[in-house]
Amino acid sequence: MWVGEGGEIFGAVTIGGCVDAYVIEQAEAMLATQVPRLIELQLGDEDAWELGLSCAGTIEVFIEPLSAGHSPLFDLYTALKSHLDSGGSGALMTCLDGSTIGAKLLLLDNGHTLGSLGDATLDQAVRTAVLPDLARGLSRTLPFALGATVSAQGAARSPRLRRRRGDSLTSPLPHTTARVFVEVHTPPATLIIVGASHMAMLLVQLARPVGFHTVVVDSRPRFATPERFPATDTLLVGIPSEIVKTLPLSSSTAVILVAHDYKYDLPILRQVLSSSVGYIGVLGNRRRGEGLLKFLREDGVPDEALRRIRVPIGLDLGGRSASEIALAILAEVVATRYGGSHLPLSQQRQDRG
């Protein structure tokens, strides 16, 4: 959440209102002092349910000032954005404890760093702990033991500056550990749609608000037009298999084939199956899918690889219209990306007891 000194608000901390209202109040107070602070709110079961959380607990929110002019923090965000725009990933680490509270270290996936958490040994320990998992895109808080040797401590907890609703600011206690919030940023996930059909148009319309970078590929200039796809990020016309070969095929990429043409589908499937693409789907019924798999199997593609292909495509939402089918497809893409169970949340709560 961003809170401007003129009262402007962008984003939110939670889906509810009471926590955000308190955070805004604290942010306005912080803007007056320009001193970062960590606030802590204890939530009962009723409060948690109103906020969309499954159980009671503690919410911590770190509040810090950011100037639109050039400042160390502004420069870190600028460097991070530039790296993201080039297709890279990065993590902005913030110290949450002690005299260096608010100190920041930017770590890019190429290993380069900018800034400091206030201790060179801590900087190196954080870099070693975070860099291998940067591609996972998981933001989290990590505790590190302080001393002659700094190391990550999975279960350690450190005393910290606390503020609860109605409480006064307490004095920081001596620190033997430092907690570091790792804020990971990755490029938008990419959705490659082969076939400039009506279904492709619907998928683009749904995928953009979810945050996907959309790419539509087709060999037919009459179908692949900006007028039909005004919302897509990239529109490419040519031989689909040759075009797909030039696109980044990473674990954050989903490839959906909606062309209904074996001469397009088969060479593209061979390509994407040899990559780390996170999702591969083909629009069509089960019979058509079995035909595709048979051709690929006869071509020497192992069954383990063939199991990555989803056909028929999408979750069973019971929909009938083209828009509902597109929603079911995108729902499966999102669930696969995050490792979802594909089950209703109400069913999951029942399963957990």
Side-chain angles (χ1 to χ4, degrees):
M1 172 188 282
W2 299 78
V3 179
E5 58 184 355
E8 307 90 342
I9 302 170
F10 180 76
V13 176
T14 66
I15 62 174
C18 60
V19 167
D20 286 3
Y22 183 66
V23 170
I24 292 170
E25 174 188 324
Q26 292 297 314
E28 291 173 341
M30 184 279 305
L31 286 171
T33 64
Q34 295 292 299
V35 177
R37 62 180 65 182
L38 180 68
I39 62 173
E40 181 181 279
L41 296 94
Q42 302 288 349
L43 299 177
D45 286 326
E46 185 176 343
D47 293 330
W49 277 107
E50 288 180 357
L51 294 174
L53 305 177
S54 59
C55 58
T58 302
I59 291 181
E60 290 183 319
V61 181
F62 183 73
I63 306 175
E64 61 185 342
L66 173 64
S67 171
H70 287 292
S71 66
L73 180 55
F74 184 86
D75 292 341
L76 289 177
Y77 275 116
T78 300
L80 175 58
K81 183 181 184 304
S82 176
H83 191 66
L84 291 173
D85 290 343
S86 68
S89 301
L92 191 59
M93 276 82 73
T94 303
C95 185
L96 301 180
D97 296 302
S99 60
T100 59
I101 183 172
K104 290 185 180 292
L105 173 69
L106 173 62
L107 172 64
L108 305 180
D109 56 0
N110 58 15
H112 293 168
T113 60
L114 183 64
S116 175
L117 295 170
D119 182 282
T121 307
L122 177 60
D123 290 347
Q124 183 57 44
V126 171
R127 182 185 184 279
T128 301
V130 173
L131 187 58
D133 293 330
L134 197 57
R136 294 173 56 199
L138 178 63
S139 296
R140 61 204 187 279
T141 300
L142 295 176
F144 292 84
L146 297 178
T149 301
V150 181
S151 61
Q153 301 292 320
R157 295 282 292 178
S158 66
R160 57 194 178 280
L161 206 61
R162 297 186 178 181
R163 182 185 291 271
R164 294 190 182 91
R165 195 177 308 204
D167 290 350
S168 59
L169 196 63
T170 62
S171 300
L173 300 175
H175 285 76
T176 57
T177 64
R179 292 190 309 146
V180 176
F181 178 61
V182 182
E183 179 186 353
V184 179
H185 295 265
T186 58
T190 300
L191 179 63
I192 301 173
I193 307 170
V194 180
S197 64
H198 180 62
M199 180 59 64
M201 296 167 61
L202 296 172
L203 285 169
V204 168
Q205 292 171 10
L206 291 174
R208 283 294 302 275
V210 177
F212 282 93
H213 176 87
T214 57
V215 180
V216 176
V217 180
D218 203 298
S219 64
R220 304 165 295 178
R222 185 177 180 181
F223 286 86
T225 66
E227 291 74 23
R228 283 169 54 83
F229 293 92
T232 194
D233 295 292
T234 306
L235 187 61
L236 302 172
V237 180
I239 301 175
S241 58
E242 294 299 317
I243 292 176
V244 171
K245 190 185 302 183
T246 67
L247 299 176
L249 301 175
S250 67
S251 58
S252 62
T253 302
V255 177
I256 298 177
L257 309 182
V258 297
H260 279 284
D261 193 327
Y262 278 15
K263 71 175 182 291
Y264 290 157
D265 295 345
L266 289 172
I268 291 174
L269 287 172
R270 293 187 190 101
Q271 289 176 19
V272 298
L273 286 173
S274 64
S275 73
S276 61
V277 158
Y279 181 94
I280 305 169
V282 180
L283 183 66
N285 57 31
R286 196 171 303 278
R287 181 178 177 181
R288 183 172 186 274
E290 289 172 352
L292 276 171
L293 298 179
K294 181 175 181 292
F295 277 121
L296 292 168
R297 189 177 291 111
E298 293 174 349
D299 200 32
V301 179
D303 286 341
E304 181 181 357
L306 294 178
R307 283 193 287 270
R308 296 174 60 195
I309 301 174
R310 296 170 184 267
V311 56
I313 190 174
L315 299 183
D316 182 7
L317 303 182
R320 297 291 184 268
S321 70
S323 296
E324 291 169 338
I325 293 171
L327 177 61
I329 294 172
L330 192 62
E332 185 179 45
V333 172
V334 173
T336 303
R337 179 186 178 193
Y338 293 110
S341 68
H342 299 64
L343 295 174
L345 293 176
S346 58
Q347 183 64 50
Q348 287 184 313
R349 285 198 294 268
Q350 291 171 10
D351 291 344
R352 288 197 297 263

